[in-house]
Amino acid sequence: MLLQNLEIEPSDLPQIEEVKFNRLEKDYLWMRLLGWGIFFLLAAGVLTFVMISTEAKIWMLFTPWLVLLTLILILEIRGFGIKGYALREKDITYKSGLIFFHMASIPFNRIQHCEVTQGPLARLFDLASVKVYTAGGSSSDLSISGLTKERAQKLRDFITKLSSEYE
C-alpha cells in the first residue's frame, strides 16, 4: 500500500469565521460585573481603613482603583460580545478575548469527559459552566461559562454522546 500525503491549498481550508457562534447569556455579563463590584467594594473598605489609619490622601489611594475599575468595566462589556461557542460535526470551538483573542477547537475524539459546574454567583443568576477535559492535559481543556443550567446540561450530554461514539 502506497502512503499518500497530498498537498492542500490554504485557500481550500474551511473558514472558522463563517461558523455561527452561539452567544452567552446576558446574565453572565451581569454576574461578572457583580463579582468585580464585590471585589472593588471590599478593596474600597480596605483603602478606607488605610486612609483613616494613616496620613494618606484620599485621591492617592482611590485614583488608581478607579482607573482600574473603569478599565475592567470597559474590557468586560466590550469583551462579552466576542465570547461564544460553536458546535460542529466533529468538534466544539470557543472564542474569547478583547485584547488577547483566543479561539480553541477541540475534536470530540480527544474528549475524556465533560461536566457542568456552578459557583455561588452562578447559582444566583441560574447560570452554569461546561468543562471539557481532553486527552491533551489541562492546557488543552476548555471551559464555557455563561450558559443557563439547562443549556449547560444539554450541551454536556451532547458532547458526552458524541465523544463516546469515537471510543
Side-chain angles (χ1 to χ4, degrees), residues 10-26:
S11 60
D12 294 338
L13 293 173
Q15 299 297 314
I16 190 74
E17 292 81 17
E18 296 171 2
V19 173
K20 181 185 175 288
F21 282 84
N22 298 294
R23 301 196 50 135
L24 305 179
E25 298 295 323
K26 189 75 170 168

Side-chain angles (χ1 to χ4, degrees), residues 55-71:
E55 300 285 324
K57 304 283 187 221
I58 190 168
W59 67 269
M60 293 171 65
L61 294 174
F62 283 96
T63 302
W65 283 100
L66 288 175
V67 170
L68 184 61
L69 174 63
T70 304
L71 182 64

Side-chain angles (χ1 to χ4, degrees), residues 26-106:
K26 189 75 170 168
D27 282 347
Y28 181 60
L29 174 61
W30 293 112
M31 184 192 85
R32 297 273 304 171
L33 293 176
L34 177 63
W36 281 112
I38 291 169
F39 170 77
F40 277 99
L41 191 60
L42 292 172
V46 170
L47 290 175
T48 301
F49 177 76
V50 169
M51 187 183 67
I52 291 170
S53 62
T54 64
E55 300 285 324
K57 304 283 187 221
I58 190 168
W59 67 269
M60 293 171 65
L61 294 174
F62 283 96
T63 302
W65 283 100
L66 288 175
V67 170
L68 184 61
L69 174 63
T70 304
L71 182 64
I72 286 173
L73 286 174
I74 291 169
L75 291 176
E76 284 289 340
I77 292 169
R78 297 286 314 268
F80 178 76
I82 295 169
K83 294 178 182 179
Y85 70 96
L87 286 169
R88 298 189 300 173
E89 188 178 343
K90 298 187 187 298
D91 63 19
I92 183 167
T93 301
Y94 179 72
K95 66 176 184 168
S96 66
L98 183 62
I99 295 175
F100 298 102
F101 182 75
H102 177 76
M103 186 181 301
S105 294
I106 297 179

